[in-house]
Every structure is written in structure tokens, then in C-alpha cells.
Amino acid sequence: MGVIIAKSVNEACAVLAENPATTVLAGGTDLMVQANRGAHSLESVLDLSRIPELKNWALEGSEMVLGAGISYTDLADPQIAALVPALTQAARTVGSPQIRNAGTLGGNLATASPAGDTIPVLVAMDAVLQLKSSTENREVAITEFITGVKTNALKPGEIIQSIKMPVFQGPQEFLKVGTRNAMVISVVSLALVTDYLGRKLRVGVGSVSPVPFRATAAEEFIAQEFDWETNSALSEKVINKFSELVADSTKPIDDHRGTADYRKHAVGVLAKRALERVCAGEKS
């Protein structure tokens, strides 16, 4: 097995241009599971973990830009948590401390699992991925990047360089259900992001469809019912209707972690809890 440790994004892209079949390694928390099972060949590996620019993040006006190599542990930084609290909440639910130290945001996206914990938050935030190769730079919306179960829109020779998203004013929540309390793959997950300026509650859900999506019917309903001036409590009838609309937007399957019926019920429960918490939160 040949391993190349890239020191810059340009160097990584040059390596992939010469041999697009090279396996890209970031944190390795998903890849090495497949390799240990014999499901993924590692004849040639490109290690991105030593590229400083992939670990940086910045606030650019009203947008946040996160390097694809930023770890789940880094996402718990108080400065990031103050700007995108739901993303920090999601990062804290991932695996053990060792996994959070190694796993990366870009790796979670490239794996494109419906159960990826950061994905519902990024969908709710309308995140855009900045992709780079030796010949091209392009931007792809997250909902267009993830094309199916564990499939994505990366072209040969291309890597995820960064993730860009707007910063919204208002409380946020990320919740998930698993088969145990910690170090668990999501059976269902949900992100609820308040956008006071746009007067919208944004809902992203996970593990309930092959590709990520926003629960737009639920968003449109609750935007009309939410008190944007005082953020006062909503009636039980409104909360239950919102929960039903979120559940009805999903297309879950039966698998070894849960049935479709359970997933539909559970995501409705998460929607209700998230909305109640957002209503109890501060406006700014």
C-alpha cells in the first residue's frame, strides 16, 4: 500500500489528478471500518489530515466557512457553538471522544450516509459545499451533493475543500434517537433552526429517506403560526400539527435498527420536542 501525506490542498488535487482512483483518507472513522471488513481496497491512499487549511474556519460577513478537515471535537468550540449551536449539538453526539477527535465534517459528507449526524443541520442551514480539483472550483448545495445512500456528486480527482452556510438569528436544536444512549448510529435525527430575519423555522431530518431534505410543508405551516415578535409558547394543537407534517414528509425503511413505522413516529416526537425547546429559547 502506498500512502501520500499531502501538505496542501493543491498538492492533494495534483495527486488525485495523476491517479483519480487513489483513496482519500481524512479521519478514517468510516473508511477504516470498510477496509477492516475487506469491503474497500487501499492500494493507494492520500492522507488529508496534515493540511492546515482544511482545519480552519472563518466568519465571512453573515456566512460561516468551515474547512472540510475540521473535526467533531473542533465543532464544539464555544465560538462555533455560539453561531451554529445545532451543529455543535450534533457533533457532540458522535461516537466516543477518540472518534470525535479523528472524524471530520468533510468525511461525514463524503460518506453520505442517511444517518450522518451533521447532515440534517447542514440541510436546515442550506449549506453549500466548495469542491476543488486541479482544474476546477465549484459549489454544490448539500441536497444536490448527496445523491443517494452513501453516494455523492464528487467528480474523479475532486475533494471537499470547505462548507459554507449562513448564520441565522434565533435558537436551534438537534435531536436524535438511537438504540442506546451514547456512541450510537441515528435511527432518526432532526435539526430545527430558527431564522428570525427570514421569519422561517428550518427543518432537516436524517435516517428517514435516501437523501437529505427539508420538511417544507411543516416549515410553511409553522412559519404562519410562530409568534415572531415575542416567541411565546404555541398551542398543543399547533405543535401536534407541526409534528404530524414533519412525520408525513418522511419516507423511512425497515432495517436492523428500526422499522419504518417506528421511524415515522420517532421523528414526529423529535419535531415536537425541538419546537417546544425553540419556543422556550431566547430570541437572539
Side-chain angles (χ1 to χ4, degrees):
M1 179 177 71
V3 179
I4 298 174
I5 301 175
K7 298 298 178 63
S8 70
V9 170
N10 287 338
E11 181 185 351
C13 291
V15 170
L16 290 175
E18 185 174 338
N19 183 7
T22 298
T23 297
V24 175
L25 173 68
T29 56
D30 289 308
L31 174 63
M32 295 313 298
V33 172
Q34 298 300 315
N36 289 335
R37 288 175 179 170
H40 195 106
S41 172
L42 296 178
E43 294 180 5
S44 177
V45 175
L46 173 63
D47 182 359
L48 305 181
S49 65
R50 310 287 181 87
I51 301 178
E53 59 199 283
L54 292 182
K55 300 177 183 294
N56 295 333
W57 71 275
L59 186 62
E60 299 179 355
S62 61
E63 292 185 320
M64 171 177 278
V65 180
L66 295 164
I70 195 167
S71 71
Y72 299 116
T73 297
D74 293 335
L75 289 174
D77 182 299
Q79 290 180 294
I80 295 178
L83 297 168
V84 280
L87 189 58
T88 296
Q89 291 170 12
R92 285 174 175 157
T93 72
V94 175
S96 63
Q98 295 91 336
I99 293 295
R100 292 194 293 274
N101 286 339
T104 66
L105 182 60
N108 201 220
L109 289 164
T111 299
S113 167
D117 287 317
T118 66
I119 292 173
V121 182
L122 297 176
V123 169
M125 302 286 290
D126 280 338
V128 173
L129 280 66
Q130 297 173 309
L131 310 179
K132 184 175 178 61
S133 69
S134 61
T135 59
E136 183 182 16
N137 294 297
R138 65 189 182 110
E139 294 189 342
V140 179
I142 184 172
T143 50
E144 296 175 3
F145 177 79
I146 298 176
T147 56
V149 177
K150 297 191 175 181
T151 61
N152 62 54
L154 280 172
K155 297 178 181 179
E158 203 169 46
I159 65 170
I160 305 171
Q161 183 173 24
S162 58
I163 299 92
K164 180 172 63 175
M165 71 198 81
V167 175
F168 296 116
Q169 178 190 357
Q172 302 177 5
E173 288 292 331
F174 172 83
L175 297 168
K176 81 177 189 182
V177 171
T179 54
R180 58 189 183 188
N181 288 334
M183 293 192 291
V184 63
I185 298 174
S186 296
V187 175
V188 295
S189 57
L190 178 140
L192 182 60
V193 174
T194 312
D195 173 12
Y196 272 99
L197 294 180
R199 298 212 162 192
K200 177 168 286 196
L201 287 170
R202 299 160 164 268
V203 185
V205 289
S207 289
V208 290
S209 67
V211 295
F213 68 96
R214 297 254 300 274
T216 53
E219 290 180 353
E220 291 168 4
F221 166 76
I222 201 62
Q224 301 300 316
E225 301 291 336
F226 197 78
D227 188 335
W228 296 103
E229 300 302 325
T230 64
N231 189 19
S232 58
L234 295 166
S235 70
E236 185 176 354
K237 180 180 178 181
V238 167
I239 293 173
N240 288 338
K241 178 64 175 178
F242 173 74
S243 170
E244 290 171 10
L245 287 170
V246 172
D248 289 343
S249 71
T250 65
K251 297 179 181 178
I253 61 169
D254 296 327
D255 66 13
H256 63 284
R257 287 195 297 273
T259 65
D261 287 343
Y262 175 74
R263 282 187 162 96
K264 188 177 283 285
H265 169 75
V267 79
V269 172
L270 294 189
K272 181 177 180 179
R273 290 177 182 173
L275 182 58
E276 289 172 341
R277 293 180 186 184
V278 160
C279 288
E282 296 295 329
K283 182 173 178 179
S284 59

